């Protein structure tokens, strides 16, 4: 099902892009196969054909439940860990409307949870940083040639967000091509930090998590 409750938007989209949405029950049954990971705040998930986010929204819901369980009594800690949870969720889709809808769904879900816990004290900077993260992590791209749809000269770039020094986050950029075509990385990626083996294409100074949106681009 997509966010409007349909499994198919049009026959043309099925024919052109194989677009058939997965129902919530199946999504959860599959996620239960890696249940521990879905409940680990910082575990990384990438959906390379994410549609409007049926898998990603359930992963976010599971992670935010854990964040709320641990940090609901301290707003700053909740904000930091919710940001970490969101920053480790990635998606790619070839259709622009799916990408927009996916970002919107994840953002709305976060806002709903955040406002429920802190109805009078939600911070604009936190909302802006989460929106910024989703803009970077949910990518309008072609997962088969690793390039952006809007500019076929540009490779898809994933930003790795690492929490350092309590409230700070460090961004390192890796192209999808370098991640997937690196033989050494492919063999050991499961067990180690990416940049022990693969230098980032670009890195940024650490920044407070509530100011992430200031990184721009
Ligand atoms: C079967 S649907 C699955 C959508 C979503 N993962 C779900 O389970 O509800 C496949 C998705 O892949 C996207 N897609 C097709 N070819 C793609 C490509 N080369 N790169 C990225 N996304 C692609 C389609 O737009 C569609 O949203």
């Amino acid at each position: 099902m997509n966010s409007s409750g349909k499994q198919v938007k049009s026959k043309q989209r099925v024919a052109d892009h194989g677009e058939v949405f997965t129902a919530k029950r199946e999504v959860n049954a599959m996620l239960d196969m890696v249940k521990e990971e879905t409940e680990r705040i910082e575990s990384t998930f990438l959906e390379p054909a994410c549609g409007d986010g049926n898998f990603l929204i359930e992963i976010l819901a599971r992670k935010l439940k854990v964040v709320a369980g641990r940090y609901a009594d301290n707003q700053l800690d909740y904000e930091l860990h919710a940001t970490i949870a969101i920053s480790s969720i990635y998606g790619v889709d070839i259709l622009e409307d799916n990408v927009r809808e996916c970002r919107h769904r994840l953002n709305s879900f976060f806002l709903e949870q955040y406002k429920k816990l802190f109805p009078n004290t939600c911070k604009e900077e936190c909302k802006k940083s989460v929106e910024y993260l989703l803009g970077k992590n949910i990518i309008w791209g072609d997962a088969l040639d690793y390039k952006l749809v809007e500019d076929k000269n540009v490779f898809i770039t994933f930003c790795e967000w690492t929490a350092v020094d309590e409230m700070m986050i460090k961004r390192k950029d890796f192209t999808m091509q370098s991640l997937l075509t690196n033989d050494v990385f492919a063999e050991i990626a499961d067990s180690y930090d990416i940049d022990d083996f693969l230098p980032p294409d670009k890195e940024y100074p650490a920044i407070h998590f509530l100011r992430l949106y200031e990184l721009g681009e």
Side-chain angles (χ1 to χ4, degrees):
M1 305 285 169
N2 72 350
S3 50
S4 334
K6 294 191 177 126
Q7 238 173 331
V8 166
K9 279 186 183 171
S10 74
K11 282 187 186 167
Q12 196 59 51
R13 289 169 67 110
V14 177
D16 291 347
H17 300 291
E19 187 192 58
V20 179
F21 296 100
T22 310
K24 190 175 168 125
R25 200 180 56 168
E26 278 73 48
V27 168
N28 276 309
M30 282 189 248
L31 292 181
D32 282 345
M33 296 167 84
V34 287
K35 191 165 185 293
E36 270 180 37
E37 283 303 309
T38 63
E39 292 169 350
R40 206 163 60 80
I41 295 168
E42 66 279 14
S43 62
T44 301
F45 282 86
L46 164 63
E47 237 273 59
C50 67
D52 62 0
N54 286 328
F55 282 85
L56 300 184
I57 192 84
E58 295 301 325
I59 292 165
L60 180 61
R62 289 175 182 216
K63 286 183 169 211
L64 288 186
K65 195 170 168 196
V66 175
V67 176
R70 285 190 202 155
Y71 304 108
D73 56 353
N74 181 319
Q75 183 168 341
L76 195 61
D77 276 343
Y78 177 86
E79 290 163 340
L80 172 65
H81 289 91
T83 301
I84 292 170
I86 291 160
S87 74
S88 44
I89 293 178
Y90 299 84
V92 177
D93 202 276
I94 202 165
L95 293 174
E96 189 181 14
D97 60 341
N98 282 345
V99 172
R100 260 192 273 114
E101 178 59 24
C102 182
R103 288 176 182 150
H104 177 71
R105 244 175 126 185
L106 299 180
N107 196 36
S108 304
F109 183 81
F110 162 70
L111 289 177
E112 198 183 292
Q113 306 300 308
Y114 185 34
K115 285 180 189 158
K116 216 186 279 175
L117 287 172
F118 308 104
N120 303 313
T121 50
C122 288
K123 297 189 184 90
E124 271 318 302
E125 309 98 280
C126 184
K127 294 189 216 169
K128 275 161 72 176
S129 286
V130 164
E131 199 176 339
Y132 169 74
L133 281 173
L134 291 170
K136 300 303 296 176
N137 283 13
I138 311 299
I139 298 167
W140 182 25
D142 185 332
L144 293 180
D145 66 9
Y146 314 150
K147 291 181 180 160
L148 296 182
V149 175
E150 59 192 321
D151 186 346
K152 282 290 178 182
N153 295 312
V154 179
F155 281 112
I156 290 171
T157 293
F158 292 117
C159 307
E160 179 197 51
W161 311 95
T162 310
V164 290
D165 298 337
E166 289 202 6
M167 300 285 151
M168 306 293 277
I169 304 264
K170 186 158 176 63
R171 169 178 163 185
K172 290 181 187 168
D173 291 356
F174 298 85
T175 63
M176 188 173 188
Q177 195 215 20
S178 66
L179 290 174
L180 295 180
T181 57
N182 185 293
D183 291 345
V184 180
F185 172 70
E187 264 178 46
I188 52 174
D190 285 347
S191 356
Y192 298 94
D193 278 348
I194 300 174
D195 45 318
D196 285 348
F197 299 93
L198 193 63
D201 294 285
K202 192 167 176 186
E203 62 183 297
Y204 297 74
I207 186 167
H208 194 281
F209 80 96
L210 290 174
R211 292 176 41 223
L212 278 171
Y213 62 92
E214 290 179 8
L215 288 173
E217 33 126 12

